Amino acid sequence: MLNAVIIGCGGRGQIFAEYAKQYPNEMRVFAIAEKRDYLREKMKKEYDIDDKYIFSDYHDLFEKGKIGDVIFIATQDNQHIEPALMALSAGYKNLMVEKPIDRDLKKCILLSKKAKEYGAKLQICHSLRFAPFYRKMKELIDTGVIGEVKHINQTEGVGYFHQAHSYVRGDWANEDKSSPMILAKCCHDMDLLVYLTGSHTARVSSYGLGGFFSEKNAPEGSSARCIDCKISDKCPYNAVRIYEERPNTTGRGAVEKEGFSNLEDAMRKGRYGRCVFRCDNDVVDHQVSNIMFENGATANLTMTAFTKDCNRVTRVMGTYGEIVGSFNDFEIYVKPFLGNDKKYEVEKIESGHGGADTVVVADFLASARGEKEMCTPIDISIESHAMCEAAEISRRTGKSIEIADIMSDKEGALL
Ligand SMILES: NC(=O)c1ccc[n+]([C@@H]2O[C@H](COP(=O)([O-])OP(=O)(O)OC[C@H]3O[C@@H](n4cnc5c(N)ncnc54)[C@H](O)[C@@H]3O)[C@@H](O)[C@H]2O)c1
């Protein structure tokens, strides 16, 4: 049984911790660092953590040196590097760091180098590679049943309600305060494309815009807060309905993130109760990226707010057939050009990201026990961050961006 330290006990930190409830013989939540009082209380109650191992800031936790076997870094975007570096110098050898590693690619490369220097294993939580759905898809591609992969079409349907929650009202609405949306939302889709093509990226181009969620599109008669809005029944972005319908996911986030005790207060006073057309968001609401791989395969990744469900749909086109699947359906279809189509059912594991939220922790612990190689070590994961940076530069400049140029520029800056 491994003693886990969790840095940041918001949405993701709690998801990591839940593994200890399901598999108490494998992991115990031994120590935490969390700024928010009510989350520290909640974690203490749920995991029976000794007071001396509960910290309100990770700086205090690291002053104690190494106090656990494995460490999870689940602070917000752009707050991963410092605690990860502190964990390395405190002597932790097995680290799980949430994605995105950081919006600054130089810092990502620096962290990767430091992990090597310290002889530590550092896994990035690129969940999709751990999802049974995508593992099955990769296994099918590797059998050669569709020949050589020539093109992949990946659609990340963010979902109108999830866009409203996270990218208009919430944490990832504003690029300066978080990251470009392509990095925040889709670095693991980029990573997935590398995984499925079995190649590396040569160049990327991208187009995308935001702007729908702005005051000029506010319907007549709408108000600043959905709870008082006279036309809320007609608005799909009505926060009260969105959260009442999803009490355990976005609903929980809307209440917990700002420390409210109930939804009504959150809707009356908090940022998640604001009219979706009257927020300060500046990230895109739709973006398409085109990727050219070194082996000649191409891919396109569509990230769009305007879908009914949060779902990914993947279509892999090979020289002798296609593989098609919708992530939420747990079904994959293999369609060879000759012969019959075949449906594969994917194992359903009851946790987020199609079961990946459980598998990612299981694999991380197995790697810490020396039983398995990590499948998303930081040095592999960095490529996806370079792809996102290239997509963002391309979106702004209209140019096609070479990954080698981006990497040599950043690596050079570190010398
Ligand atoms: N892998 C995935 O599929 C996936 C999915 C969603 C989010 N994420 C990523 O996970 C990360 C965390 O997201 P979240 O939704 O859990 O965020 P969150 O804001 O809910 O949680 C972060 C927590 O860190 C705490 N914190 C900040 N500074 C601290 C400090 N100095 N000491 C101790 N605690 C501190 C905050 O109080 C907060 O509770 C983000 O980078 C996000 O992009 C990954």
Side-chain angles (χ1 to χ4, degrees):
M1 202 263 304
L2 296 169
N3 280 332
V5 177
I6 301 183
I7 305 294
C9 300
R12 296 298 298 172
Q14 290 181 55
I15 285 172
F16 291 138
E18 271 162 30
Y19 191 88
K21 285 187 194 158
Q22 287 175 284
Y23 301 97
N25 296 336
E26 283 189 46
M27 177 178 124
R28 159 163 76 147
V29 180
F30 181 72
I32 59 163
E34 168 52 54
K35 277 206 157 171
R36 292 185 274 182
D37 302 348
Y38 65 97
L39 287 179
R40 287 198 306 279
E41 280 302 309
K42 184 176 179 201
M43 293 295 286
K44 178 181 162 56
K45 227 187 267 165
E46 283 186 28
Y47 296 97
D48 194 23
I49 308 165
D50 191 323
D51 281 333
K52 67 176 186 286
Y53 295 120
I54 298 179
F55 302 86
S56 55
D57 197 291
Y58 62 71
H59 294 92
D60 304 330
L61 180 143
F62 288 122
E63 269 182 19
K64 308 279 172 207
K66 180 174 179 290
I67 55 174
D69 303 309
V70 296
I71 186 160
F72 294 84
I73 311 281
T75 38
Q76 264 295 349
D77 298 7
N78 307 312
Q79 298 177 336
H80 300 151
I81 301 289
E82 185 186 65
L85 289 173
M86 291 178 88
L88 288 172
S89 62
Y92 289 90
K93 296 292 180 211
N94 293 281
L95 293 80
M96 167 99 87
V97 175
E98 258 305 354
K99 56 124 272 237
I101 310 165
D102 195 88
R103 68 179 292 167
D104 182 346
L105 195 52
K106 287 198 294 293
K107 289 187 184 167
C108 304
I109 297 168
L110 174 77
L111 181 60
S112 172
K113 287 186 171 164
K114 288 284 174 197
K116 259 195 205 104
E117 265 172 48
Y118 281 101
K121 295 195 267 187
L122 195 156
Q123 174 172 310
I124 301 304
C125 190
H126 270 160
S127 320
L128 298 181
R129 281 204 198 208
F130 298 86
F133 179 89
Y134 283 116
R135 286 191 165 173
K136 185 70 193 172
M137 198 172 262
K138 174 71 172 160
E139 184 191 309
L140 290 166
I141 291 170
D142 288 349
T143 63
V145 65
I146 61 161
E148 200 182 320
V149 173
K150 288 294 183 190
H151 185 70
I152 302 180
N153 199 258
Q154 171 80 353
T155 299
E156 157 60 318
V158 177
Y160 72 98
F161 60 91
H162 184 39
Q163 181 87 16
H165 174 70
S166 290
Y167 301 96
V168 181
R169 298 182 170 112
D171 289 336
W172 296 276
N174 194 281
E175 212 180 290
D176 284 344
K177 292 182 197 151
S178 57
S179 339
M181 185 167 162
I182 190 74
L183 180 69
K185 188 74 187 105
C186 281
C187 63
H188 52 174
D189 292 87
M190 292 291 197
D191 176 65
L192 180 75
L193 294 171
V194 173
Y195 175 61
L196 295 181
T197 56
S199 185
H200 292 290
T201 317
R203 64 192 70 88
V204 177
S205 68
S206 189
Y207 298 96
L209 286 174
F212 174 66
F213 299 102
S214 57
E215 192 147 13
K216 67 177 189 305
N217 293 319
E220 221 181 296
S222 58
S223 326
R225 289 200 169 265
C226 299
I227 200 160
D228 307 316
C229 183
K230 291 194 180 60
I231 61 134
S232 60
D233 283 357
K234 297 193 190 83
C235 178
Y237 300 103
N238 170 6
V240 181
R241 186 190 317 106
I242 287 178
Y243 297 127
E244 280 178 352
E245 285 177 357
R246 299 168 183 83
N248 298 322
T249 50
T250 42
R252 181 177 102 175
V255 176
E256 275 190 359
K257 277 201 185 257
E258 294 182 287
F260 291 108
S261 57
N262 60 68
L263 184 61
E264 180 163 350
D265 281 356
M267 294 297 93
R268 290 209 178 280
K269 300 176 206 154
R271 63 184 162 150
Y272 292 101
R274 294 174 298 161
C275 170
V276 80
F277 298 105
R278 294 180 172 87
C279 296
D280 57 351
N281 64 302
D282 64 4
V283 298
V284 297
D285 48 44
H286 62 292
Q287 181 169 358
V288 59
S289 302
N290 306 303
I291 301 117
M292 177 84 224
F293 287 94
E294 287 173 354
N295 68 357
T298 53
N300 65 354
L301 167 63
T302 298
M303 174 180 79
T304 171
F306 306 113
T307 55
K308 187 151 185 177
D309 301 313
C310 287
N311 191 19
R312 291 180 161 88
V313 179
T314 308
R315 186 167 177 189
V316 184
M317 292 157 242
T319 47
Y320 288 93
E322 287 181 63
I323 298 179
V324 184
S326 160
F327 193 54
N328 287 358
D329 295 342
F330 294 87
E331 285 171 358
I332 297 175
Y333 294 84
V334 175
K335 298 163 167 275
F337 300 152
L338 282 180
N340 295 330
D341 296 358
K342 194 169 173 186
K343 179 170 106 176
Y344 292 84
E345 306 271 350
V346 176
E347 184 191 3
K348 280 189 183 158
I349 300 174
E350 288 304 319
S351 70
H353 295 96
D357 286 348
T358 301
V359 181
V360 77
V361 179
D363 273 32
F364 171 60
L365 299 177
S367 148
R369 294 190 300 263
E371 295 164 8
K372 217 173 184 181
E373 287 288 305
M374 282 187 295
C375 83
T376 55
I378 183 166
D379 51 331
I380 286 184
S381 304
I382 281 175
E383 180 171 344
S384 62
H385 287 52
M387 294 163 83
C388 292
E389 179 155 331
E392 194 54 19
I393 297 172
S394 173
R395 187 178 77 81
R396 289 172 185 280
T397 61
K399 293 185 179 147
S400 171
I401 306 297
E402 300 286 325
I403 291 295
D405 291 348
I406 292 207
M407 290 304 290
S408 62
D409 193 34
K410 306 291 171 183
E411 279 164 347
L414 284 171
L415 293 176

